[in-house]
Amino acid sequence: MKRLCLLLILILLLPIAFSGIGLAQDDITFISSSAVAQFPVAITFNMEAEAAAGITDVDLKYQVERLSLVPVSCRVDVDFTPGQRVSASWTWNLLETGGLPPGVEVEYWWLIEDAAGHQIETSPATIKFDDLRYQWDSLTSDEVTLFWYGGDRSFAQELIDAADEALGRLADDIGVSLEQPVRFYIYASTQDLQGALVYPQEWTGGVAFPDYGTIAIGISPSNLEWGKRAIAHELGHLVVHQAVSGPYGDLPTWLDEGLAQNAEGQLRSDLQQRLEQAVAHDTLFSVRSIASSFPADREEAELCYAESYSVVQFLLNSYGSDKMLELLDVFKEGSAYDNALLAVYGFDMDGLNALWRESLGLGPQPTPTPGKEGASAMPSSYIVLIVVVALLMALFIYLSLRLVRRGRGV
């Protein structure tokens, strides 16, 4: 009986023993993995592994947390020196790809192959791309989480209340709401904010990252009222872009900015004054001319913001929020600007321009449009530069001819 029991135990252990031999021959041992963030410019991924047959190929795969119809992962063929034990490293240079917002998570894993053709894929790991230069506090409402480090809790509460009010306006006026929660990173100044961005513009005071559900704004406690409007404005951009998110969605600039201005509430008094002056002198830009981009000149750009608000208000007041929501749905499907307006309202941008001007007590659009027409307009500073360069070239040619004549003794 004892011999029979021993025989059964040996039979049961045989598959395990042979399995162990197979693993010893084929195994690739994954030793370590890490990722280090250098906010906001780079993330460096590191790994170590070994294999008796010698490791011949190492690939890194990573995926960024974002709003997407289909999760997208990237694969990188990592350079390293092949051998039985290897170390590999790859740096994601965000200066080349436009950067990431603070707080976003990056999931990554490794694919390793040895000379015998054995392969392993490691379990995913995650790194959070945080801005660790500051000690962040946080406050959360139903759909909004706000991170800040300058100012007290009441300062943060007023900002999060402003965000909730803007969400209410967007739901009531347009019928759109957040499709995923949003994170606000409130920097204590514009300078602090710009230090968190890759290649920021000098005038950048806030930026929305719709694909990541993140908004970053520079707001000091002493500039709270501006900050509340800025939060509403950027939230308007984010909610609307989530509503039209997809492979084809694209909005005319006047609609995008007009809806963001609407999320703030009433138009700012200085922009309202600029709009009234342009109406009084009939110097409005046409709707078509502000569909692609706004002029570089600050005063003209401010007029375009005011006009965008006015055009959106005209559509909402004349045709209602249901039509506006229908328009966003058509844009989500990839419709061209004129075709989308025709499908929903029965007129294109020129027709909208005529009706909007009529609502302001104006006749047909003057030709050409006052100011600079659209993105193709050349700023006055460029014209001055061209004239200066031409004069310098003429002077250079004149002096060169005089030198040649002197050399010839003329």
Side-chain angles (χ1 to χ4, degrees):
M1 185 67 180
K2 291 181 178 178
R3 290 180 178 178
L4 179 59
C5 291
L6 182 59
L7 181 60
L8 288 173
I9 292 170
L10 288 172
I11 291 172
L12 291 172
L13 289 174
L14 280 173
I16 299 175
F18 281 110
S19 173
I21 293 172
L23 285 172
Q25 291 175 343
D26 300 344
D27 196 29
I28 298 173
T29 303
F30 185 66
I31 300 172
S32 67
S33 173
S34 65
V36 179
Q38 299 165 268
F39 188 91
V41 296
I43 304 176
T44 299
F45 303 89
N46 307 286
M47 62 78 65
E48 282 188 87
E50 63 181 5
I55 294 175
T56 57
D57 188 58
V58 174
D59 287 356
L60 171 71
K61 293 188 74 174
Y62 65 92
Q63 181 174 298
V64 182
E65 170 201 25
R66 61 189 300 174
L67 179 66
S68 176
L69 297 175
V70 180
V72 178
S73 61
C74 300
R75 183 166 178 165
V76 180
D77 186 8
V78 180
D79 291 331
F80 72 104
T81 302
Q84 289 185 323
R85 180 166 181 145
V86 302
S87 299
S89 178
W90 180 74
T91 297
W92 183 5
N93 185 354
L94 295 169
L95 295 174
E96 298 176 352
T97 57
L100 292 173
V104 71
E105 292 187 348
V106 180
E107 188 177 56
Y108 65 97
W109 61 100
W110 300 89
L111 289 81
I112 307 166
E113 183 176 348
D114 68 10
H118 306 132
Q119 297 178 335
I120 66 167
E121 182 171 320
T122 67
S123 298
T126 300
I127 178 172
K128 194 171 183 181
F129 195 56
D130 278 325
D131 188 348
L132 300 178
R133 297 175 300 165
Y134 308 105
Q135 295 293 322
W136 300 91
D137 290 318
S138 65
L139 187 63
T140 301
S141 66
D142 291 340
E143 297 179 285
V144 176
T145 298
L146 187 140
F147 298 91
W148 88 104
Y149 59 88
D152 57 19
R153 189 177 180 85
S154 63
F155 165 75
Q157 186 64 57
E158 288 208 50
L159 293 179
I160 211 167
D161 289 344
D164 289 338
E165 290 173 10
L167 288 174
R169 280 192 291 271
L170 288 163
D172 293 340
D173 294 349
I174 311 169
V176 294
S177 57
L178 281 172
E179 296 187 10
Q180 67 176 23
V182 61
R183 297 185 297 258
F184 280 95
Y185 283 83
I186 306 301
Y187 287 84
S189 67
T190 299
Q191 291 74 22
D192 285 358
L193 168 67
Q194 292 180 356
L197 304 176
V198 173
Y199 304 127
Q201 301 289 335
E202 291 182 4
W203 43 263
T204 301
V207 59
F209 301 89
D211 290 342
Y212 302 96
T214 301
I215 294 172
I217 310 179
I219 306 172
S220 68
S222 62
N223 203 12
L224 179 59
E225 290 307 312
W226 174 87
K228 290 161 71 172
R229 296 189 72 97
I231 275 189
H233 186 99
E234 297 300 336
L235 191 55
H237 281 308
L238 189 143
V239 172
V240 170
H241 277 262
Q242 283 189 2
V244 299
S245 176
Y248 309 111
D250 179 40
L251 296 177
T253 302
W254 59 262
L255 179 59
D256 189 12
E257 293 296 345
L259 290 172
Q261 293 277 349
N262 182 77
E264 295 184 35
Q266 293 295 319
L267 188 64
R268 273 176 20 208
S269 58
D270 59 323
L271 296 182
Q272 180 65 38
Q273 184 178 7
R274 194 172 295 282
L275 177 66
E276 291 172 355
Q277 290 175 347
V279 171
H281 296 91
D282 199 0
T283 55
L284 295 171
F285 289 90
S286 70
V287 172
R288 186 174 297 280
S289 71
I290 56 175
S292 56
S293 64
F294 289 172
D297 181 82
R298 180 175 179 175
E299 291 186 359
E300 291 179 347
E302 287 180 348
L303 174 58
C304 292
Y305 279 107
E307 286 191 28
S308 298
Y309 173 86
S310 179
V311 171
V312 165
Q313 287 299 305
F314 167 74
L315 289 173
L316 289 172
N317 293 335
S318 300
Y319 304 96
S321 59
D322 289 344
K323 284 290 186 180
M324 181 61 71
L325 185 58
E326 184 182 347
L327 180 64
L328 294 179
D329 288 338
V330 173
F331 275 121
K332 184 174 183 177
E333 296 170 1
S335 182
Y337 300 165
D338 283 323
N339 292 342
L341 287 167
L342 284 167
V344 177
Y345 296 105
F347 47 73
D348 61 8
M349 285 195 289
D350 294 329
L352 170 60
N353 189 65
L355 291 170
W356 167 61
R357 287 177 57 84
E358 183 180 338
S359 73
L360 298 172
L362 298 175
Q365 183 79 38
T367 304
T369 300
K372 310 295 185 292
E373 185 74 19
S376 62
M378 182 178 293
S380 58
S381 58
Y382 286 0
I383 297 174
V384 172
L385 180 61
I386 291 172
V387 171
V388 171
V389 170
L391 290 173
L392 289 173
M393 289 181 64
L395 179 61
F396 175 77
I397 293 171
Y398 170 75
L399 293 175
S400 298
L401 289 174
R402 290 197 62 181
L403 288 172
V404 169
R405 290 175 177 176
R406 286 182 180 179
R408 293 176 176 175
V410 177

